[in-house]
Amino acid sequence: MDVPALCIRLLTDVSVLLVVQLYHSCFALRADAAFPSVSPNRLQHFEYETFTVNCEEFTGLTEWRVMRNLQTPITPAVSDTWNSSAPSCSINPSFKQHSGEYWCEDAEGRTSRAVNITVTDGSVILDVPASPVVQGHDVVLHCLKDKSESERSADFYKDGSHFRAWYKNAAMMIQNVSTSDEGLYMCKIPGAGESPESRLTVLQRTEDTHPPVSQPVNFLSLLWTVVLVAPLLLVMGFLLSWKDTEPDVSRDGAKPHVPDKRVYSSVYYRPLTPD
């Protein structure tokens, strides 16, 4: 392979590697600010309900899988459809032992944020969305009683303190959500019991449009590498190519060797014979 072709090949390989690394960094930022999706979209579930944790929206160069850290070990008698190598998992049926943190992770160790799912054997749960609520939007928290469709009253608590009483369908709306609304929420239904606590997560608008402060250096360094390395490789290729076409000059300063273009004629001799 000649030198210019080798330089072009090297430039192509380096560019591909830089693009891949830049893609990984971009996606790592997006994954770091994202959560796995949960269906139904709530953090609390009654026992024997089915819920699914999904990482399929994390499309990258490597496969993503659902990971979890359970609060208590699952006994062999408890069956579930968990598969740590799958991009999604469905827990059917769910039991109290399935409570814990669930997150997405790829083969290179990049992780998303975790959601803390609670499965209760009680009769009351609080419908807190598993997906974060964007700042400025409205959110409705429902206090649900197992196997009950009738209207009921409920008391809501935030961070251990009484937050608000609600009497129509035990649903409380928080309008124009802000970061001050983040916290641990629970509810109580008179005569039925109380729900576990779950965290309401509020996502700031800046988190949607700007990466974390600790990450932009990676983008700048990669972009500067692309800008600087590509011209250097091209210049190197031209220099090496020009060197190959330069006349071969000896070290003692002699003139370049020029091919001999003289023409030689052939002379034939024959003995003289008398006339």
Side-chain angles (χ1 to χ4, degrees):
M1 182 180 293
D2 58 357
V3 175
L6 180 61
C7 290
I8 294 175
R9 175 67 180 275
L10 181 61
L11 175 61
T12 302
D13 293 343
V14 171
S15 301
V16 171
L17 290 175
L18 290 174
V19 170
V20 170
Q21 187 176 359
L22 183 62
Y23 178 85
H24 273 289
S25 298
C26 293
F27 187 79
L29 292 180
R30 188 169 67 87
D32 183 62
F35 293 79
S37 61
V38 181
S39 180
N41 182 26
R42 64 173 188 258
L43 291 176
Q44 296 186 14
H45 304 272
F46 292 111
E47 274 196 327
Y48 302 103
E49 285 187 330
T50 299
F51 69 88
T52 300
V53 182
N54 198 327
C55 296
E56 292 179 347
E57 65 181 29
F58 291 84
T59 55
L61 297 180
T62 60
E63 288 190 4
W64 287 73
R65 59 186 179 179
V66 179
M67 302 295 291
R68 69 182 182 185
N69 183 18
L70 300 182
Q71 295 175 356
T72 57
I74 296 181
T75 61
V78 178
S79 62
D80 62 73
T81 58
W82 167 254
N83 187 343
S84 62
S85 63
S88 66
C89 73
S90 294
I91 308 300
N92 181 26
S94 63
F95 295 92
K96 188 176 181 179
Q97 292 91 334
H98 290 108
S99 300
E101 289 187 332
Y102 291 74
W103 69 94
C104 300
E105 184 174 314
D106 73 351
E108 297 183 5
R110 285 185 293 269
T111 62
S112 69
R113 297 187 185 182
V115 291
N116 199 328
I117 295 177
T118 301
V119 180
T120 178
D121 56 359
S123 58
V124 177
I125 64 171
L126 178 62
D127 184 0
V128 179
S131 300
V133 181
V134 179
Q135 186 176 11
H137 290 193
D138 299 338
V139 62
V140 179
L141 303 181
H142 296 270
C143 196
L144 305 178
K145 184 177 181 299
D146 190 19
K147 300 177 181 179
S148 175
E149 300 294 337
S150 60
E151 291 190 4
R152 55 196 175 277
S153 62
D155 291 315
F156 292 85
Y157 296 79
K158 177 190 175 187
D159 297 327
S161 299
H162 187 264
F163 185 65
R164 195 176 300 173
W166 211 263
Y167 298 97
K168 185 177 181 181
N169 296 326
M172 178 186 68
M173 174 180 289
I174 305 176
Q175 295 180 319
N176 194 23
V177 172
S178 66
T179 53
S180 62
D181 293 312
E182 276 196 334
L184 292 172
Y185 287 81
M186 63 167 291
C187 66
K188 292 182 180 180
I189 295 179
E194 63 183 41
S195 73
E197 282 187 325
S198 287
R199 175 170 293 277
L200 175 67
T201 301
V202 177
L203 189 67
Q204 297 184 28
R205 291 184 182 276
T206 54
E207 292 186 27
D208 289 336
T209 55
H210 301 287
V213 177
S214 61
Q215 296 291 344
V217 177
N218 294 333
F219 288 106
L220 293 177
S221 61
L222 287 171
L223 289 176
W224 273 113
T225 302
V226 172
V227 171
L228 293 177
V229 170
L232 286 176
L233 289 175
L234 287 175
V235 171
M236 184 185 301
F238 283 119
L239 288 176
L240 292 175
S241 176
W242 174 78
K243 185 177 180 181
D244 284 348
T245 59
E246 188 181 9
D248 183 15
V249 181
S250 61
R251 282 180 288 184
D252 59 0
K255 292 183 178 181
H257 174 72
V258 179
D260 193 353
K261 298 182 179 180
R262 288 176 293 179
V263 178
Y264 296 87
S265 60
S266 300
V267 179
Y268 297 92
Y269 296 91
R270 63 179 177 175
L272 294 175
T273 58
D275 295 333

